């Protein structure tokens, strides 16, 4: 489907999140829940991108540190991290973020390809961008964010 004959004004909803001062959007269809991660258990020998695992309502959830995944420094301001629960092939994951934002309804045809000047660490996890008033919202491609997971867990 080309840009010219794009969808007839279809809207997409995104759950917005801040990570390292950058606005990200996760397609709402991929978000299971939003929670404050408690009692995260470190996994020996897991890559640094895996913060650990936790029990969320009886499910074991692998927690992915999105700052680490994006190559950003750790957050030192002591704020409590939030997590967005997502699913991939029946496995549950929590993406650690700095803070959760609102749900935005944006026109599907407003999404653009990743700009050439987008930080390459973000570009490899992005499925495009939306230009909002004065800021860029990077659309996270959940599958790409989690595609390291099998190798990371096998370590």
């Amino acid at each position: 489907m080309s840009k010219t004959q794009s969808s007839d004004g279809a809207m997409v909803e995104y759950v917005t999140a801040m990570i390292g001062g950058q606005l990200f959007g996760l397609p709402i269809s991929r978000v299971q829940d939003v929670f404050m991660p408690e009692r995260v258990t470190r996994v020996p020998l897991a890559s640094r991108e895996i913060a650990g695992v936790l029990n969320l309502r009886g499910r074991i959830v692998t927690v992915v540190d999105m700052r680490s995944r994006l190559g950003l420094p750790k957050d030192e301001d002591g704020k409590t991290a939030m997590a967005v629960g997502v699913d991939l092939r029946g496995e549950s994951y929590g993406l650690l973020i700095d803070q959760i934002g609102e749900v935005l309804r944006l026109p599907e045809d407003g999404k653009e390809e990743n700009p050439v000047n987008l930080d390459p660490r973000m570009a490899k996890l992005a499925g495009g961008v939306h230009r909002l008033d004065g800021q860029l919202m990077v659309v996270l491609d959940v599958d790409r964010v989690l595609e390291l997971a099998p190798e990371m867990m096998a370590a």
Side-chain angles (χ1 to χ4, degrees), residues 15 26-36 54 56-57 59 61-62 82-88 91-97 100 142 146:
V15 174
L26 290 108
I28 203 165
S29 58
R30 297 300 304 266
V31 174
Q32 309 252 292
D33 45 23
V34 174
F35 58 94
M36 310 222 26
L54 59 81
L56 181 66
R57 296 187 283 283
R59 289 193 334 255
V61 176
T62 302
M82 298 287 301
V84 177
V86 295
D87 217 64
L88 181 67
E91 291 290 317
S92 297
Y93 296 88
L95 305 181
L96 275 188
I97 59 170
I100 196 77
V142 174
L146 298 175

Side-chain angles (χ1 to χ4, degrees), residues 28-55:
I28 203 165
S29 58
R30 297 300 304 266
V31 174
Q32 309 252 292
D33 45 23
V34 174
F35 58 94
M36 310 222 26
E38 291 175 20
R39 301 220 319 262
V40 176
T41 306
R42 293 276 317 146
V43 177
L45 305 178
S47 84
R48 63 187 185 87
E49 296 177 358
I50 297 292
V53 294
L54 59 81
N55 184 325

Side-chain angles (χ1 to χ4, degrees), residues 58-93:
R59 289 193 334 255
I60 297 299
V61 176
T62 302
V63 180
V64 178
D65 182 340
M66 287 304 297
R67 278 180 166 264
S68 182
R69 188 79 179 85
L70 290 161
L72 299 170
K74 282 210 172 305
D75 193 8
E76 300 298 341
D77 66 7
K79 276 204 225 89
T80 310
M82 298 287 301
V84 177
V86 295
D87 217 64
L88 181 67
R89 293 188 283 281
E91 291 290 317
S92 297
Y93 296 88

Side-chain angles (χ1 to χ4, degrees), residues 70-154:
L70 290 161
L72 299 170
K74 282 210 172 305
D75 193 8
E76 300 298 341
D77 66 7
K79 276 204 225 89
T80 310
M82 298 287 301
V84 177
V86 295
D87 217 64
L88 181 67
R89 293 188 283 281
E91 291 290 317
S92 297
Y93 296 88
L95 305 181
L96 275 188
I97 59 170
D98 296 344
Q99 71 189 91
I100 196 77
E102 57 199 344
V103 172
L104 290 182
R105 235 177 106 87
L106 299 170
E108 199 172 298
D109 56 10
K111 187 162 94 172
E112 303 172 24
E113 296 292 310
N114 293 340
V116 291
N117 60 350
L118 186 64
D119 183 315
R121 296 169 302 193
M122 287 182 192
K124 71 177 194 224
L125 304 179
V129 298
H130 276 278
R131 292 181 194 279
L132 307 174
D133 303 333
Q135 80 184 126
L136 198 63
M137 182 185 83
V138 177
V139 177
L140 279 179
D141 180 322
V142 174
D143 294 344
R144 283 195 221 159
V145 168
L146 298 175
E147 73 187 0
L148 293 179
E151 303 90 83
M152 290 190 294
M153 296 310 290

